[in-house]
Each structure stands twice: as structure tokens, then as C-alpha cells.
Amino acid sequence: MKRPSPAPVALLAAALTAVTALVALPGGRAAAFTGDNHEDITRRALPWEPATLTAMADARDGAVNADDKRPYFDLGPLHCDNADYLAPRHARDYPRTRDEASTELVACVGTSVARFRKAVRAADGLVDAHGRVRADQTDLSTPCTWDERPGPAKCAVLEQLGRGWHPLEDFYSHSNWADRAAPGALGIANPPGLDRSEVAPFFDIRRYSAMEDPDWTREVRALVPEDLATGCYPDFDSTGVKPASCHGRVAHNRDLNKDTPASARAKTDDNFRRATAGATAEITRQWKSFGDELRSAYPEGGRGAQMVCALVHDDPVTDCPSG
């Protein structure tokens, strides 16, 4: 039986409330791009200096991998999971509708929108009212802790960006956006591939962050191709439901993920390369958009440009003198 889809904005609000209420606990890696692959993607995408880049990208302790620790690991929207769907021409009576699948994708986008907004607010602490970099807020000599608790502004910005970028990277591994199906009949065990080389248009996170949630939600739904799917995974979807199994659905582990070159779907054509290339291009776009937003949101005295400089450099007090 198909469960009814909740109102998208109410569903999204509930999912985000659950996410922001979490306190990170130790846990294992998620069934997502491995930490090493998240690190490789993030390092290729960001033109940052070494210590700052390591704080963001490190396979074990980087901000971009913080969502792969429990309890964040167990929330499907943080990994773009459970947006699985097959049209009737591929699977008659598939147990999830296009609308239900799109609802899960909306929840995934929503987590990144919320993190983007928080990162912009946290960036205000990087510099003082005159645009001078604040040493106490940008020093990374003490490692950041990704626990959502108050700390130096640079750590706060990196945490919000890393947690917001993680699901976007996962999308390219967990979905059929960039990949190709294996030869043979299409269906649950071999879902269609969309073979897209461009970044996904429904990850326009900066623009969505300035919109009312119902407005960008409608746009995302309108931009989702009919055959788009991400894999079913036994974590909590945006309604708080945890599937007992993914029987009869396109499964993350068995059918769709490209988390490592050894994954079944990664072995078709060059699907692993396609997934990592898409994720890298996405983070390149997201970083540029965030920098543009800081310069726009904090124009007075060039404060926004100083914030960008403080995020890129390991010694911003020296490397980012105010004018």
C-alpha cells in the first residue's frame, strides 16, 4: 500500500527540525561515497590552503564527512536516499509514486538550503565591523569539533558548509542522474540511467536560500525528470519512517550506488568517474555561490570579500589585511 504524501513544506520542516536537534555521536561510516572519496572530491573542488582544506575534507575528521557519523548517518535526507521510483513502463505498480520520490529529494535539498543560511549567518563572526579578520574566530590551531555547539566562527562556517555539501556529493553517487544503465532490460535491478553531464538544476542552493520554502519546493518538483531515482536505504526518510527492507524497490546497495569503484552500478561503463566528476563540479559551484553570497550579504567596507579570504587562507590575519 502506498502511504499518502504529507504536505511538502510541513514534511520538510519536520525533517529539518529533527536534523538540527541532533548532537553528533560516534558511529561508523555511512553507505555513501567513502570518506576517502568525499575527501578526494572536496579537495579537487576547493582552491583552499592546506590546513583549512584538511579541516573541511579529511576522510575521518573533515566537516564534509561529519554527516557520515551517527546519528546523522541514519537520516536519509542527509544522503539523498529513498527518492526511488520507476515509471510504469519499467515496473508496473512500483510501491512508491513519483510524487513520494520527489518529496524525498525536496527534503535532501532542504537540508542544504538550511545549512547554507546558517553558514551565511555564522560568517558574520569572521571579521569585525571594520572588515578586520578576527584572530580568535579564524585560528584553526585547535581542531574544530563538528558537534553543532558554539565555537569559533570559522569552524561554524565550515561545519555548516560541510554538512550542507555532503548530501549534494552523495546525490551523484546515490542517483541515476549521471550514470548509465547496464545492457539489458530496465527494471528494479537495472534502473534507467539519465546520463547527464551537467550539475543538477534543482541544487540552486544560494537562490533557494533567499526564497520562501513553498516557492523553491515547487521549483524543485518541476525540475525533477520523471525517471530520476536515488536508492532505497534502510535509514529514516523525511517522514520519520525507516523501511524494514528495500524489497521490491530500487535498492541503494544492490542496484544504484556508485560509492566505490567496486559497487555493482559503478562497474557499468565509467559510472564511478561520472559520479565523482558530477560531485566535484557541484561543490565547485556551491563554493563559488557561497562566496558570491557573502560579498552580496556583507558589502559594507568589503566585509564579505574579507570573509571569503578568511575562509580560504590558513593565516588570514596576515594574508587578508583590511583596506
Side-chain angles (χ1 to χ4, degrees), residues 89 139 156 249 286 313:
R89 68 184 185 281
D139 181 13
R249 294 170 63 178
Q286 296 301 326
H313 288 88

Side-chain angles (χ1 to χ4, degrees), residues 26-38 59-60 64-76 78-81 166-167 170 173-174 233-235 252-253 257 259-260 263:
R29 296 180 187 275
F33 271 135
T34 63
D36 289 342
N37 288 327
H38 275 294
R60 288 185 57 84
V64 80
N65 280 306
D67 279 354
D68 273 354
K69 306 288 177 62
R70 285 189 167 93
Y72 301 89
F73 162 46
D74 296 319
L75 294 178
L78 303 189
H79 312 283
C80 270
D81 292 336
H166 184 97
D170 274 355
S173 169
H174 295 186
Y233 190 81
D235 52 16
H252 169 93
N253 285 336
N257 91 79
D259 293 335
T260 74
S263 302

